[in-house]
Amino acid sequence: DPYIALAGVRKGYRIGGEAIPIFSALDLAIPRGDFVAVMGPSGSGKSTLLNMLAGIDVPDAGSLSIGNHRLDRMGEAARSTWRAHNMGIVFQFYNLLPMLNAAENVELPLLLKPLSARERRVRVGKMLDLVGLSGREKQYPSMMSGGQQQRVGIARAIVSDPGLLLCDEPTGDLDRKSADEVLEMLSFLNRQLEKTIVMVTHDPQAARSAKRTLHLDKGQFVERAAS
Ligand code: ADP
Ligand code: ADP
């Protein structure tokens, strides 16, 4: 079975009395260990798809399973627990808490786990080391470059060792050099740590870092060979 499977997913929104369909019958299969870039015009449903994979949003109909768990059949509380244990999310604008330093930001997901303060500190240190930020534990986000903040965001996303990483425009706010460093890091996490990655992006360079690209248009996926 694929790690992620969507079958016949329907999803739309109601604005006032008007129903706006986004997906009428979306199918998708992603094997474990894949690194998929999702591209498509603004409004094509990329964020909606990512929100469904994250269990933040649910399909109106159809099935959505990740690792044999039916997200479409879980309630909100179960989805949020599932999310905390199984996935990390990397955001375009990092979503770091400004009043917390780098180490405290990375530590946040671990506060849900039965770990001692010492175990958490060791784990956070390893993660900051992995993203090339050891020595910057005490720095606050406002003192860091965008690229450094995104690396803190990546460390936070993987600190609980989730199998799945969802990335929403991870290079969208970065200069080319920082963007390439972030992409290098995502490729490393995919190849060496076997993270499955689904990344929404407008950045063609980011898409080239992925193993394959899915183009979302008019509610359907169109797969294209890597360019
Ligand atoms: P993200 O992928 O980071 O969520 P999107 O590009 O998907 O951002 O856009 C989210 C929403 O914001 C969409 O509904 C889109 O129509 C709107 N949007 C995106 N970019 C612009 C823009 N430059 N100007 C106006 N609206 C935008
Ligand atoms: P993308 O990320 O590709 O820009 P989105 O998933 O953000 O696309 O949006 C797909 C369509 O659904 C857009 O037309 C958007 O305006 C609409 N949409 C997204 N979220 C909502 C919402 N919460 N309420 C109403 N309409 C929404």
Side-chain angles (χ1 to χ4, degrees), residues 13-15 20 22 40-49 200 216:
Y13 292 96
R14 289 201 150 271
I15 299 180
I20 301 169
I22 301 169
S42 196
S44 59
K46 302 182 298 297
S47 303
T48 302
L49 172 70
V200 164
L216 205 46

Side-chain angles (χ1 to χ4, degrees), residues 25 28 30 52 74-75 137 152 169 177 195 200 208 211:
L28 174 64
I30 296 177
M52 288 194 293
M74 288 181 196
E137 286 78 4
V152 174
E169 297 276 10
K177 181 169 173 290
K195 306 293 181 195
V200 164
R208 278 190 281 276
K211 287 179 175 162

Side-chain angles (χ1 to χ4, degrees), residues 116-173:
S116 69
R118 195 193 129 66
E119 288 168 320
R120 292 198 303 269
R121 193 163 58 244
V122 168
R123 179 106 192 120
V124 167
K126 278 188 189 161
M127 291 302 114
L128 285 171
D129 195 29
L130 187 69
V131 300
L133 291 176
S134 47
R136 296 189 186 270
E137 286 78 4
K138 299 272 164 61
Q139 273 194 12
Y140 286 83
S142 61
M143 302 298 291
M144 301 184 137
S145 70
Q148 289 169 339
Q149 289 182 67
Q150 190 60 296
R151 286 189 272 151
V152 174
I154 291 171
R156 179 187 53 189
I158 60 172
V159 74
S160 312
D161 200 23
L164 176 61
L165 270 189
L166 301 179
C167 305
D168 186 5
E169 297 276 10
T171 60
D173 195 47

Side-chain angles (χ1 to χ4, degrees), residues 4-202:
I4 299 175
L6 280 76
V9 164
R10 180 159 60 80
K11 181 68 184 172
Y13 292 96
R14 289 201 150 271
I15 299 180
E18 201 184 349
I20 301 169
I22 301 169
F23 304 122
S24 57
L26 190 69
D27 299 325
L28 174 64
I30 296 177
R32 206 178 279 277
D34 207 350
F35 184 177
V36 180
V38 178
M39 303 187 85
S42 196
S44 59
K46 302 182 298 297
S47 303
T48 302
L49 172 70
L50 219 51
N51 285 339
M52 288 194 293
L53 294 177
I56 292 165
D57 218 341
V58 284
D60 296 333
S63 66
L64 163 55
S65 63
I66 304 183
N68 295 322
H69 294 266
R70 285 285 299 265
L71 264 71
D72 58 288
R73 289 183 180 164
M74 288 181 196
E76 195 164 338
R79 289 199 311 274
S80 117
T81 304
W82 187 89
R83 178 164 58 241
H85 288 98
N86 296 281
M87 71 176 64
I89 308 184
V90 177
F91 303 90
Q92 178 173 5
F93 299 108
Y94 330 124
N95 285 26
L96 303 178
L97 294 183
M99 71 294 277
L100 300 182
N101 66 32
E104 290 163 342
N105 267 286
V106 174
E107 186 183 19
L108 279 177
L110 295 183
L111 298 175
L112 299 166
K113 305 237 161 192
L115 296 172
S116 69
R118 195 193 129 66
E119 288 168 320
R120 292 198 303 269
R121 193 163 58 244
V122 168
R123 179 106 192 120
V124 167
K126 278 188 189 161
M127 291 302 114
L128 285 171
D129 195 29
L130 187 69
V131 300
L133 291 176
S134 47
R136 296 189 186 270
E137 286 78 4
K138 299 272 164 61
Q139 273 194 12
Y140 286 83
S142 61
M143 302 298 291
M144 301 184 137
S145 70
Q148 289 169 339
Q149 289 182 67
Q150 190 60 296
R151 286 189 272 151
V152 174
I154 291 171
R156 179 187 53 189
I158 60 172
V159 74
S160 312
D161 200 23
L164 176 61
L165 270 189
L166 301 179
C167 305
D168 186 5
E169 297 276 10
T171 60
D173 195 47
L174 301 177
D175 59 63
R176 190 69 261 158
K177 181 169 173 290
S178 304
D180 288 343
E181 286 168 5
V182 160
L183 294 171
E184 187 65 39
M185 203 158 288
L186 294 177
S187 289
F188 174 86
L189 296 175
N190 173 247
R191 282 183 274 117
Q192 306 299 320
L193 303 187
E194 297 173 341
K195 306 293 181 195
T196 304
I197 302 181
V198 180
M199 170 176 68
V200 164
T201 188
H202 286 107

